[in-house]
Amino acid sequence: MQLRRRRQSRPAIRDFSRSARPSIRGYGMEVDSTDAEVSKRDRLVNNLQNLSVSDRVRMLRGMPLSVAEKSELSQIPCCSQLKYYIIIGARHSWYSWLNFLHSLQLWQVALKTVSGRFGTGVLSYFLFLKTLLFFNFFLFLVTGAFMVLPQAVHPPVLPAGRSSFSGLELLTGAGYFSDTVMYYGYYSNYTLRKSCRDDGGVQNVSLSNGTRLDCVSKHLSYNMPLAYFFTIGVAFFITCIILVYSMSKSFGQSFRIDKSHSILAMKVLCSWDFKVIKKTSVKLMSENISTQLKELLAEVNQKHVKNTACQKLWRLMVHGLAWTICIGSTTACVLKLQQSSRIADNNLLLTEASLLALPVVVSLINLLLPGLFNLAAWMEDYESPSVRTYVAICRNLMLKVSVLGLLCYHWLGRVAADPEDIGLKCWESFVGQELYRFLLMDFIFTLLDTLFGEFLWRLKVLKRRRKPVFDIARNVLELIYGQTLAWLGVLFTPLLPAVQIIKLFLLFYIKKSSVMMNCQAPRKPYRVSQMTTVFITLLCFPSFLGASVCVTITMWSITPSSSCGPFRELKTMFQAGKRWVEELEKDNPNLSVLARAHSYLVENPFFLFVGAGIFLIVIYFHSQVVDGQRKIISLLQEQIENVRHHLNTVYTALCNYEDNYKTN
């Protein structure tokens, strides 16, 4: 009877839900089934509270419970619903904020579109253009904040015979723009402040053609010559650090061991992002993955053909002929350019118009000669598209370096050496105007090449359904050429980085539209894993290093103009910093340590060479570390291949043994 009462005191088995009924394994354990039911119910309620309304209803429908139990479980308390909505709202706000930050990245959608349609080779050009834009933006901020803005707030008194604006200045950069903050000759050679008066009450002002250097006070606000000197120096130093860091980082990212077979498997199995739900994003991602798979398959299926001795000799002769044509044409153009580099007539209007002759000739050479290089590459018939691209980069680099070297010799060896003989009062402003004209003509001829070389060519052969292929080598070297002009001209034209920023912005949209409308993807897809590193290296060593050497020679050894600019009446621009240190030491003898540090660290070129050597050593050691990592990874991959081969051999032997055993 007691046993019967005990059984009747417990709820019947039919009162339990099927999922909560005790298992046979529960018998023999001293656990109360009512407590277990309560704990299971509590866990179920807690799990349902963390779900959305739709997910909660969907889960309850799939549970083997009665309608009454489902309705009871679906009624979650109000505080739980409020907690759920708060969590969902916070999560939605966080994801919206992340999407907003992602949308702030410049040209993100456009770059994905180009990558999906044309591959990594064309994408590397636009990424390099974006990198140059950030370099110029940094340079514009520095020069604008410490040079242009203070001088614009305290403008000097201009001469009476200032020329009016005629519209031709937009092409030549001369005339009306000569007496503005755009050029070196406008800047004052004294300390700027609100009132600059001597004891007699006469105001010392700065004219564009000369000033007095007697505006001195113990409470000076802004030393313009010193700011000009140190702003240029610090800007170049920080740019050098950023370039070295970018190049070192790019070396580490590009020179990795990544065999195409393993990357192909990863790309097929793991490349799709399932969080992407928009149709446009899905289309972009599918095009991008498809293009990358084509590049990887082309690299996997690449075959190395062994040529005979006669074929090797013939190819060697063709390569020699092609390089002879390229070097000979470059030398002829440089010699012709040397004859064309002279100053024009004395008539102002004719002089301004004739000043465009030299930039036009140089731009024509840069436009037409790469076509001859492409013809030579067609003669050579390279099997690998990447090798053809690198050879074209070398030839275009040879042309750009030759032209820029001749122009630097013309400006610093002829114009700056004896400006009085050619009728120049301020040779720095003239060189700045020349650099502005070269930069503008380069942009105009790039537009003409885009119009006639791509758009009209596509219209001409539209019936044959053929489109031109985007020339990566020539377009990248054009960017490096323009950036070198900007670095050369920032000393003479502080606003030249702003002109370069406008040029790069327009160039991105023009080139992107032209590529999408007029060009086709390469006929032979190829993966460019190290091209970005090559671009950064070329930007650092031939471009930035050459511009830094020219600017350093100008500031350390060439005599400034005596009638304009912040360094007038000084033997060199470098003496501005030296004079400031001497004045500090004279006013405060405790700062003699600063004077000695300046003489040892700045005046002595040995430390400059030491600093440059340290940068080169850092790059060398980083490349060696990366090379060592590559060797270690290659050895590990060889070991993996050996283990795989050994396992295949063992598996084959076991299968043969099993077959023999079954047969016997």
Side-chain angles (χ1 to χ4, degrees), residues 368-394:
L368 299 177
L369 211 57
L372 183 62
F373 296 163
N374 291 335
L375 181 61
W378 176 78
M379 291 170 49
E380 294 172 304
D381 190 19
Y382 288 102
E383 296 178 359
S384 174
S386 58
V387 173
R388 181 173 182 173
T389 302
Y390 290 132
V391 171
I393 288 175
C394 293

Side-chain angles (χ1 to χ4, degrees), residues 50 82 167 375 406 433 635:
N50 296 326
L82 180 63
L375 181 61
L406 179 62
Q433 295 168 8
L635 291 175

Side-chain angles (χ1 to χ4, degrees), residues 400-410:
K400 305 299 182 185
V401 170
S402 302
V403 170
L404 287 172
L406 179 62
L407 291 176
C408 290
Y409 171 75
H410 168 67

Side-chain angles (χ1 to χ4, degrees), residues 318-336 365 369-370 372-377 379-380 391-403:
V318 172
H319 290 324
L321 178 61
W323 278 102
T324 303
I325 292 174
C326 296
I327 296 174
S329 58
T330 302
T331 305
C333 291
V334 169
L335 293 177
K336 181 63 178 178
I365 292 174
L369 211 57
L372 183 62
F373 296 163
N374 291 335
L375 181 61
M379 291 170 49
E380 294 172 304
V391 171
I393 288 175
C394 293
R395 290 170 179 171
N396 284 274
L397 180 65
M398 175 184 63
L399 173 64
K400 305 299 182 185
V401 170
S402 302
V403 170

